[in-house]
Amino acid sequence: MKLGISSCLLGTMCRYDGGHSRDRFITDLLTDYFEFVPFCPEKMVFTTPREAIRQVKIDDQIRVRTSNSNIDVTQKVEDISKELANQIQEDELCGFIFKSKSPTCGMERVKVYPEEKGMSENIGVGIFAQKIKDKYPLLPLEEEKRLEDAWLRENFLMQIFSYKDIFEFLKSKPKLKELVSFHTSYKYMIYAKSHQAYKELGSIVANHDKKDIDIILEDYKHAFLKAISLKGSISNTYNVLLHLYGYFKKEISKDEKTEILDSIEEFKNEFIPLIAVIKILNLYIKRFDIEYLKTQKFLNPYPKELALRSKIEAYR
Ligand code: SF4
């Protein structure tokens, strides 16, 4: 599956000043796992280089104007943004990374200037980003700057790989039995976000109302996309680790128990990263051949080379 992206983040010289905003995490790491679909709405309606544009509050409306000549270009930016957003199919992208702060691509906290002189406020949303949000409210969206935060990065990566997973799964035209297996494999990943969300997904799968499989799959997709958009927390992840430990605690020695429980506590107290605990748990899961846990996405949510779980700051 593909990842939508603001073109300038890939190194394309499409910024207003003729430069780019290449982002190494995207071009050096994510590039191995995703095909990028670049978008630069401004390049399609203006020349490059061009006069910068900015958002301006006029009465209660946000308009887009050129910075020096003060020409209103709102309609142009609106139209091209809408056109590009409409070209994207629901199952084509598994996420989108926007260029932060841009009046066109910024996802949040874009500067909005007063009409007359005065301080700007960080209250705007880029016109193009807003169109994508409106069209695909459950598509994983992030900005390159926010992805410097390990916690947001971990959550975003989990979300895009899970997003990719569900759409690929649905393309296989699964039966209810396969949906149950899919759902089970996500048990602890969703638990780490919200017990309630997993319960809701479980009741869709249980299908007490004897709905048709197509309706169940559609309901499940919607609830699943909502569930994976939630952020995980240290306390939920801690509870999941204790659950996993519960599968084999009766089979191990007192010393082994102490070692595992200590490492889970150390994770909770932010002394060691999640990967250190997972490595220990995986040893026991293999040793006791616990098939149910081997398939859990929580233990292996994305390629380990991305190494996010080795950062203590990836959890809050
Ligand atoms: S922020 Fe968006 S509109 Fe601006 S140069 Fe980058 S891709 Fe183009």
Side-chain angles (χ1 to χ4, degrees):
M1 245 169 128
K2 300 167 183 170
L3 209 50
I5 191 145
S6 296
S7 296
C8 54
L9 293 174
L10 294 177
T12 309
M13 315 275 267
C14 56
R15 275 174 50 113
Y16 74 95
D17 57 4
H20 62 76
S21 306
R22 184 174 174 189
D23 184 275
R24 292 278 170 193
F25 168 65
I26 295 165
T27 56
D28 297 358
L29 264 174
L30 289 186
T31 195
D32 290 341
Y33 304 98
F34 294 95
E35 190 184 326
F36 294 119
V37 184
F39 293 86
C40 179
E42 288 183 31
K43 194 180 76 173
M44 295 183 72
V45 284
F46 305 117
T47 52
T48 306
R50 57 188 170 271
E51 192 180 337
I53 57 174
R54 61 183 193 170
Q55 296 195 353
V56 182
K57 194 169 182 187
I58 301 171
D59 299 328
D60 269 345
Q61 272 198 334
I62 306 272
R63 308 291 300 174
V64 182
R65 288 185 165 181
T66 51
S67 302
N68 297 324
S69 49
N70 210 25
I71 299 167
D72 194 304
V73 291
T74 314
Q75 200 58 49
K76 272 188 180 174
V77 181
E78 279 271 346
D79 289 349
I80 190 64
S81 297
K82 190 170 172 192
E83 188 184 322
L84 290 175
N86 283 341
Q87 283 171 10
I88 301 168
Q89 303 301 313
E90 189 197 23
D91 60 351
E92 185 188 349
L93 302 180
C94 59
F96 209 113
I97 305 179
F98 292 107
K99 171 72 189 81
S100 57
K101 298 186 179 155
S102 154
T104 306
C105 289
M107 204 178 90
E108 58 172 37
R109 298 176 54 77
V110 169
K111 279 190 175 151
V112 177
Y113 292 83
E115 193 176 7
E116 303 302 330
K117 281 194 168 31
M119 294 283 284
S120 62
E121 291 176 279
N122 296 336
I123 53 167
V125 177
I127 306 273
F128 177 54
Q130 187 63 59
K131 295 277 179 250
I132 300 278
K133 277 186 187 187
D134 292 345
K135 185 137 196 261
Y136 299 114
L138 294 172
L139 184 70
L141 309 175
E142 266 305 348
E143 292 182 327
E144 93 294 356
K145 272 279 165 236
R146 281 168 49 95
L147 289 176
E148 287 171 10
D149 177 307
W151 182 66
L152 291 174
R153 194 183 276 202
E154 158 85 3
N155 276 285
F156 182 64
L157 283 186
M158 266 197 206
Q159 197 187 355
I160 54 179
F161 278 96
S162 309
Y163 195 96
K164 181 177 172 188
D165 209 14
I166 181 112
F167 278 99
E168 281 174 357
F169 170 69
L170 292 173
K171 273 187 193 149
S172 71
K173 304 243 174 289
K175 303 209 166 50
L176 192 57
K177 196 174 126 215
E178 283 134 10
L179 178 62
V180 172
S181 304
F182 180 90
H183 173 66
T184 307
S185 71
Y186 271 92
K187 176 173 179 176
Y188 289 113
M189 156 106 71
I190 309 270
Y191 257 34
K193 294 172 178 293
S194 153
H195 278 223
Q196 184 57 27
Y198 190 74
K199 235 172 108 182
E200 281 165 23
L201 286 163
S203 75
I204 296 172
V205 174
N207 192 24
H208 296 306
D209 299 335
K210 304 270 177 267
K211 288 181 185 165
D212 186 77
I213 183 72
D214 289 341
I215 297 171
I216 300 170
L217 290 174
E218 193 54 35
D219 289 353
Y220 189 86
K221 179 182 84 180
H222 194 260
F224 181 84
L225 295 181
K226 262 171 73 181
I228 60 170
S229 72
L230 303 171
K231 307 264 186 277
S233 66
I234 288 187
S235 61
N236 280 355
T237 305
Y238 169 77
N239 287 332
V240 165
L241 294 171
L242 289 176
H243 261 94
L244 300 179
Y245 160 73
Y247 278 84
F248 53 81
K249 69 176 181 191
K250 291 197 183 123
E251 319 288 334
I252 58 179
S253 69
K254 198 169 161 235
D255 284 351
E256 287 172 321
K257 279 182 191 164
T258 308
E259 188 195 3
I260 297 171
L261 288 174
D262 282 355
S263 67
I264 293 176
E265 287 303 315
E266 284 168 15
F267 163 74
K268 186 182 168 199
N269 295 321
E270 300 178 50
F271 297 150
I272 63 170
L274 180 62
I275 193 69
V277 190
I278 296 238
K279 275 193 174 298
I280 297 174
L281 291 174
N282 266 332
L283 283 176
Y284 290 92
I285 291 167
K286 269 194 201 136
R287 180 165 139 196
F288 297 110
D289 198 20
I290 308 170
E291 208 53 51
Y292 186 79
L293 294 188
K294 281 188 193 166
T295 58
Q296 286 299 318
K297 295 281 177 184
F298 174 82
L299 294 166
N300 198 14
Y302 48 72
K304 56 179 173 300
E305 294 75 25
L306 290 168
L308 284 179
R309 292 176 149 193
S310 56
K311 290 194 189 321
I312 290 171
E313 316 85 68
Y315 287 83
R316 280 182 196 161

